[in-house]
Structures are given as C-alpha cells and as structure tokens.
Amino acid sequence: MRLLLVEDDVMVASGMKLGLCDAGYTVDWVGSGERAEQALEGDSFDLAIVDIGLPGMDGLELTRRLRARGLAMPVLMLTARDALQDRVQGLDLGADDYMVKPFELPELLARLRALLRRSQAATSAVLGFGPLEMDTAHRRVTLSGQPMELGPREWSVLEYLLIQAPKPAAKDKLLQALTGWDKEITPNAIEVYVSRLRGKLEPAGVALRAIRGFGYRLELKMRAEHGADR
Ligand code: CA
C-alpha cells in the first residue's frame, strides 16, 4: 500500500514515515500542498495523510482540490489544533477521517487499516484466495492453515495480488506498491519477489501466473496439474 504523507513538520513527518514503513507501508512525503498536487499528477496512492496546518495552501484547501479533481482515495486529516471548526470543515470538504496531534501510532495504523479496507471494498481485514489467508490487521499470513514467513516486500507484492485477485495485478502497480520515490528499484526486482513467492505458494497449489505485457495473477492449480508437477 502506497501512502502520500503531506506534513511540513520535519520531526513529525520523519517519525510518522518511520512508523508507517515499519508497518509495511510505502510512504512518500511532501512538505506542502503544492508539492502534494504535483505528486498526484504523476503517481497514484492508496491513501493520503494530510496535515491541516501547511505553509501556502492549507490541508483543507488541498483536500477540496483533490475532491474537485475527482480523486477518490481516502484522506486522513491531521490537526494540531483542537478546533472543532477545522475538523467539521475537513470532513465536509471530503476528508474521510481525522486525528488530532499528538496521537499514538497504533491508533493511526488502526484508522489507516479501516480506511483502506473501506476503500478497497473489503468487508474485513482478512484477504483470502484458496488456501491463502492474509490478516492485514495482525500482519499474519497462513497457507493451508500454516503460518508463512514473508519479508516486507514479499508482503507488499502478495497483498496487492490478493486485493486484485482473481483479476491480474499490473506490474507497474506492483512496482508502485513497493517503491517510494526515494528508493531505486528496477522492474526486474518484482520478478525476484514473485519468484520467492512462487517457491512458497506453489507447493500448496497456488500459482502465480505471468500475464505477458501486463503483470501477474494468482491462480489455483488444478488438482491433476498439481499432481503432475510432482
Ligand atoms: Ca503543520
């Protein structure tokens, strides 16, 4: 999941970015509403965290503009001010939720999960496909009931594949789910994670099929085919 963090306070932003990255999110951080608008021109994000108090355009105006442009991603507003008026205005302008600073990281993470769940139109925090189950709230994956060990990037790739399943996931979207602007990663890196995931999934009958020129799709192997592989 890729998040856009719009926050001008360097200390707050770097702390949040650290906590969010630890929780498995890809985070791109900008310090102003103007920079946020530029970022949204070329890149897509699953959610935006927007501080209300920003230099130049404030977070309320940014949110209004995003909605006016038809962007539907969830927006979580941050405010240092305990002003009811800001929160009401923010929600009226199209924000989905807000948090008053200072806040605790676990609460922020829980709210992000709830917002992302709603926007991905899933009913629970658990994503499933055949014998595969991913509990995004507790960061646990099981395959045929057995716990699976996944590195953070394997997790990101598998999460996006599960959200898209049974449709294929586009390779460039997978890449976006993995990288922020500040990390160098080549499209071939996706193949590394895909091949690691294959090694873990295929023994349980879950295939990761390459769709030429597009990306990858999770598939359940037929029983006969599964048997023939042995
Ligand atoms: Ca601020």
Side-chain angles (χ1 to χ4, degrees), residues 6-9 51-55 78 80 101:
V6 191
E7 165 65 82
D8 60 312
D9 184 319
D51 186 31
I52 290 185
L54 294 169
L78 304 178
K101 292 195 269 188

Side-chain angles (χ1 to χ4, degrees), residues 59-146:
L60 295 170
E61 175 62 13
L62 174 63
T63 302
R64 190 191 67 74
R65 290 202 199 187
L66 298 186
R67 293 308 186 219
R69 277 172 47 183
L71 285 174
M73 70 184 165
V75 173
L76 174 73
M77 307 207 72
L78 304 178
T79 175
R81 292 171 267 177
D82 196 15
L84 176 68
Q85 189 54 36
D86 273 357
R87 303 200 296 265
V88 170
Q89 207 188 341
L91 294 168
D92 281 345
L93 287 171
D96 298 277
D97 200 358
Y98 65 84
M99 292 198 74
V100 177
K101 292 195 269 188
F103 48 80
E104 299 293 328
L105 187 65
E107 185 181 358
L108 174 68
L109 295 176
R111 283 177 191 253
L112 292 179
R113 285 195 297 271
L115 289 171
L116 288 165
R117 217 152 56 216
R118 260 179 265 156
S119 73
Q120 311 282 348
T123 50
S124 77
V126 179
L127 299 166
F129 187 79
L132 189 58
E133 219 173 73
M134 174 181 272
D135 180 342
T136 58
H138 300 99
R139 276 192 87 71
R140 279 195 295 254
V141 187
T142 58
L143 188 58
S144 308
Q146 297 300 310

